[in-house]
Amino acid sequence: LSSGINAEYGRAKSMKFVDGLMIHTGEPKNIYVDTAVRHVLLRQGVLGIKVKIMLPHDPQGKAGPKIPLPDHVSIAEPKESDTKIEHPYSTCVEKQEPPAPATPAM
């Protein structure tokens, strides 16, 4: 017989349960992700639980942050102008040829 801790039961294990989108970096993580950590003392050892919940965007700021995510793109309708440009023009200046070098007199 061999004594000692069985490798299957003596090692720490971790399990992850993920559903949906979770941001992990930057300032939006500080605003949008709510984190909680709890440690439970059991007979076999300590069980640690970490929970991360990403809050939804709420324009009123009651159920989530008011600030939208930075990757959110909103497209505005183009403004209608009264004046129509008949012929578009450019302000580009045409290139002029440099003067030819003078030939030296002998």
Side-chain angles (χ1 to χ4, degrees):
L1 290 176
S2 166
S3 65
I5 298 174
N6 189 346
E8 184 178 339
Y9 297 108
R11 302 279 180 197
K13 297 175 198 59
S14 66
M15 290 188 279
K16 290 184 180 182
F17 302 97
V18 180
D19 185 26
L21 172 75
M22 176 70 68
I23 53 176
H24 294 279
T25 58
E27 182 62 21
K29 179 192 175 211
N30 299 336
I31 298 171
Y32 273 89
V33 178
D34 194 12
T35 307
V37 177
R38 294 291 179 259
H39 300 287
V40 181
L41 301 176
L42 299 174
R43 203 169 356 126
Q44 295 89 359
V46 179
L47 179 68
I49 299 171
K50 289 183 186 178
V51 177
K52 293 181 184 178
I53 298 174
M54 185 167 163
L55 303 171
H57 169 65
D58 182 18
Q60 285 78 30
K62 295 179 182 177
K66 280 185 176 182
I67 303 169
L69 284 171
D71 61 351
H72 175 74
V73 177
S74 60
I75 299 172
E77 293 295 322
K79 295 180 183 178
E80 294 202 19
S81 63
D82 296 335
T83 60
K84 291 188 178 182
I85 300 173
E86 296 293 328
H87 302 286
Y89 61 92
S90 173
T91 58
C92 178
V93 178
E94 294 183 18
K95 268 189 166 179
Q96 295 180 358
E97 294 286 328
T103 57
M106 287 195 207

